[in-house]
Each structure stands twice: as C-alpha cells, then as structure tokens.
C-alpha cells in the first residue's frame, strides 16, 4: 500500500485516500494469495481469511493516521549483517526481513516495526543488564525485544556500510 511513498512524506490525507481505496486493498490481498499461497480463486475458508486480512489492513491504516505525518522508509526490507563472535575469529550471518521502517516527521525518530500475529501484550524489558535478555531462565520472555534490537543493529550497520548518515 505504501510502496509509492518510499522515501516520501505520508500525510493524514494520503492515508485517508489509501483507506478509502477498497479495490486497491482487495487487489493487493488477492495478489498475496496468488504469490505466497499459489491460490488464484478464493473459496470457503480463504474468503474468510481474505476478509480478516482486509480488516487488519484497515486497522493498521487507522493506527497510521494517529502517527501521521511520517516518512515511509521501507516495507518488507531485506537486510544482511555479519555478527563477529569469538573475538572476531568467526561470524554469524543474519538476514532480517523488517516489516516496516518509517521516520516521524516531528522529532526525526526512526521506527522499526515487526508486526506480530497471535497474542502479544507489550515489549518486555529486564530490570537488570543486557545479559538478562539472553539468560536461559527467561524462557523467551524477551524474544520480541531482542528481535527489534537485532533489526536495529542490522539496519543501522547497513546504513553505515552505504556511507549514509545515521538519524540523530
């Protein structure tokens, strides 16, 4: 939906136009069914899923209206990073597919979004130091927070590699 806005300012009016364009939303959802599920004609349960996806799109656009205006940076962006380990002798390769990156017009705040399905309350933050994120006793309690930190690391390292200036 926001592909035409990459690198551009998305105003409240723009979101309103996209929100009202139900045919565009429907076509993109159908395109997704074809591309990812190899389904050309929807029937039965797929029609229900299509309606739910369209509803989620409308809810996301409504939430975006509360954050407008913003600069849309990327959606489903693929980023790569080589994390040095063992004192730099070895590395772990990461590929991050970041759902959405935008920047607030006011305050120039970069936002990295990872949309979640299922139950999710809020990001958990440990009371201690960063080592608590990786403690074996936390049973995945901080996985969403760690994922966003990793996405930020990958994204900013890619900016630096391209010689781009980091947001202030």
């Amino acid at each position: 939906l926001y592909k035409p806005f990459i690198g551009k300012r998305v105003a409240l009016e723009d979101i309103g136009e996209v929100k009202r364009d139900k045919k565009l939303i429907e076509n993109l959802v159908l395109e997704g069914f074809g591309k990812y599920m190899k389904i050309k004609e929807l029937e039965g349960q797929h029609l229900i899923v299509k309606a739910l996806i369209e509803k989620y799109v409308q809810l996301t656009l409504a939430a975006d209206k509360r954050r407008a205006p913003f600069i849309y940076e990327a959606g489903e962006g693929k980023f790569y990073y080589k994390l040095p380990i063992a004192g730099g002798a070895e590395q772990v390769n990461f590929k991050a597919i970041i759902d959405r990156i935008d920047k607030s017009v006011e305050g120039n705040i970069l936002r990295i979004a990872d949309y979640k399905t299922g139950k999710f309350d809020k990001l958990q933050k440990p009371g201690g130091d960063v080592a608590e994120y990786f403690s074996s006793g936390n049973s995945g309690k901080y996985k969403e927070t760690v994922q966003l930190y990793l996405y930020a690391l990958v994204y900013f390292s890619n900016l630096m590699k391209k010689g781009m200036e980091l947001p202030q």
Side-chain angles (χ1 to χ4, degrees):
L1 290 172
Y2 287 133
K3 205 175 223 178
F5 294 98
I6 292 175
K8 298 179 184 167
R9 184 178 196 266
V10 180
L12 194 59
E13 304 80 40
D14 298 319
I15 298 168
E17 284 179 35
V18 170
K19 198 170 175 4
R20 286 188 296 278
D21 194 343
K22 302 215 186 301
K23 195 66 182 163
L24 171 66
I25 294 169
E26 179 183 31
N27 288 341
L28 288 172
V29 171
L30 291 172
E31 184 181 305
F33 271 99
K35 183 177 179 180
Y36 297 106
M37 298 183 71
K38 311 294 186 231
I39 297 172
K40 293 186 196 285
E41 298 250 351
L42 302 186
E43 51 187 39
Q45 184 178 2
H46 293 126
L47 289 170
I48 296 168
V49 172
K50 175 186 168 282
L52 285 171
I53 292 169
E54 290 171 350
K55 180 67 175 170
Y56 280 123
V57 167
Q58 290 294 334
L59 291 171
T60 301
L61 291 168
D64 285 351
K65 279 183 149 188
R66 294 189 295 271
R67 292 179 178 87
F70 55 85
I71 309 293
Y72 185 74
E73 297 287 332
E76 291 291 315
K78 289 182 185 163
F79 300 91
Y80 302 90
Y81 182 68
K82 295 178 182 203
L83 177 68
I85 59 170
E90 297 181 38
Q91 62 190 22
V92 176
N93 295 321
F94 283 100
K95 174 179 150 185
I97 301 174
I98 302 174
D99 290 338
R100 175 175 165 164
I101 302 166
D102 68 31
K103 185 172 33 176
S104 66
V105 171
E106 199 174 294
N108 198 26
I109 297 168
L110 190 80
R111 296 179 290 224
I112 295 176
D114 186 55
Y115 299 118
K116 297 292 180 198
T117 56
K119 187 176 190 274
F120 177 73
D121 293 321
K122 65 178 184 172
L123 289 177
Q124 298 292 319
K125 298 177 188 172
D129 62 21
V130 74
E132 193 174 330
Y133 282 122
F134 305 99
S135 167
S136 60
N138 74 36
S139 50
K141 182 176 173 182
Y142 307 116
K143 67 183 179 192
E144 291 89 358
T145 307
V146 170
Q147 183 180 10
L148 284 175
Y149 280 135
L150 179 62
Y151 281 3
L153 173 69
V154 170
Y155 179 72
F156 287 122
S157 72
N158 276 261
L159 284 182
M160 290 175 16
K161 199 183 321 176
K162 291 177 184 175
M164 298 175 78
E165 197 172 301
L166 294 178
Q168 300 297 317

